[in-house]
Structure formats: structure tokens, C-alpha cells
Amino acid sequence: MGLNVKYGERSITWGNEALVVAKFNESGQVDTESIKVLTGLVSVGAMEDQAEVQNYPADDVADHATKKGATLLNGELVFLQTDEALKEELLGQVEASNGLGYVQTGQYPNRIIQYVQRTQTKKADGTIEKGYKIQVLPNVQATAELSFESETDSSDGVDPIQYTLAIQATATDNYTDKGYKPAQQEFTINGDNVDLFEKKFSTTPFVFMPDTVLTAGTTE
């Protein structure tokens, strides 16, 4: 007779459902008027930490490690189209004099980026529960202008152009939790909070802060 093992919950995360860009005001609060939804997102590349790690070896225990420098995350965003918010908010571009294009200024502003992913969790009792994963990069800056590529195949036709935006993320004093300043923060929405989140976010997109609480009738 074999083992009868009961597994715990298993979660699957789908691709990006929404990408939001915003900025902090002079008071260090999210400027609600600046919140915009970027369109055409294809993928979010891995945000790799460039900070060094200092190891402290010991004779009889695993190495103790701590981050030597400040967090500096490098990654990329891939789009199928470049909308107005992307050009103005993340690339600092301004509308051309004739109104038919945008001018590169080379001045990349610091912005908040938040992306929302749909999840599905299989509970231990076999039921399926939907939810969302929220990832916030509170201090993001582009590191180069958009690059683009497409491939042409004589048998299949022309592939869509994909635009890649290189970004870096660091911490900010405006985004702290329990005394820490994360360069990347993740939240999980499930259970009764799912309907509350969907109703609120669909009506008025907002940026998740460490003190954001979803309860009946409020997201304050």
C-alpha cells in the first residue's frame, strides 16, 4: 500500500493583467491624479538585484549573509505598443510641435510602477479559489530609450513589433513598512478581499501602499 499524501495549497499565477504608473507628490503621498494605466504590456522581465552581498562564514553553521549595499534592481518591460502615458511618464518625452509625435528629452522621471496578476489557488480540500498578486516598484526610472524589434518570415508573415524598456528600481523614503524601505513589494489578494479589490480597482485604479487594508466598504 502506497503513501496517501495530502498536499497543501498550490497557486498558479497568470500573466500581467494591468500595469499602473503613478508618482509621489511633494508630501510623499501618491498623487491620485497621476495614476495611469499603461496599455500593450507583454511581459515584465526579472528584476535582478545588483547590490553586493557580504558573507560571514562560520565553522559549524551555514554562512550568515547580509546585503552590503543598497538594493538596485535592473529589469525590463516589453510592450506591443507605446501609448502616451508610457512616453510621457516613464521616458519624460514631450509632444512634438506639430502634435504628430514625441520629442526625446533624455530626462527620465522617477515613477511608481504597479502590476496586477491574476492567480488561482487549489486549496487542500480540492476547491479552486481565485485571487490577485500585486507587485509594486515604488521608485522606478528608465535607463534608456525604447528599443524595438520584429521578425519577418516569408511563410508566416510579419510578427508584431515589440518595444523593450530597460528600467531600474531602488528604495524611497516615501514607501516604508516596519522601518524598512523595500525596492519591490508584493501583496496577495484572496478570499473575501477579491471582490472588494476588483470593485475598487475597476472603478478607480490605485497604488497599494504598506498600510492599504481591504475591508467591507473601504480600501483605506
Side-chain angles (χ1 to χ4, degrees), residues 45-51 67 70-76 115 135-143 166-171 181-185:
M47 299 297 293
E48 298 183 1
D49 195 348
Q50 303 301 307
K67 191 173 293 184
T71 298
L72 176 62
L73 304 177
N74 285 333
E76 63 183 26
Y115 49 102
Q135 297 197 54
V136 182
L137 301 171
N139 193 28
V140 173
Q141 189 175 43
T143 59
I167 59 173
Q168 67 178 18
T170 57
K181 302 174 184 178
Q184 182 174 8
Q185 180 69 42

Side-chain angles (χ1 to χ4, degrees), residues 1 7 39 42 47 54 81 89 96 100 137 139-140 142 153 162-163 176 181 218:
M1 182 176 180
Y7 290 96
T39 59
V42 176
M47 299 297 293
Q54 180 70 56
Q81 65 184 52
E89 298 300 324
L100 301 177
L137 301 171
N139 193 28
V140 173
D153 188 291
Q162 289 196 351
Y163 300 87
T176 62
K181 302 174 184 178
T218 180

Side-chain angles (χ1 to χ4, degrees), residues 28 36 91 113 140 147 169 190:
K36 298 178 181 179
L91 289 170
I113 283 182
V140 173
S147 61
N190 50 37

Side-chain angles (χ1 to χ4, degrees), residues 81-101:
Q81 65 184 52
T82 57
D83 62 6
E84 178 181 325
L86 173 63
K87 294 175 180 177
E88 294 181 348
E89 298 300 324
L90 289 179
L91 289 170
Q93 297 183 6
V94 295
E95 190 174 16
S97 298
N98 61 10
L100 301 177

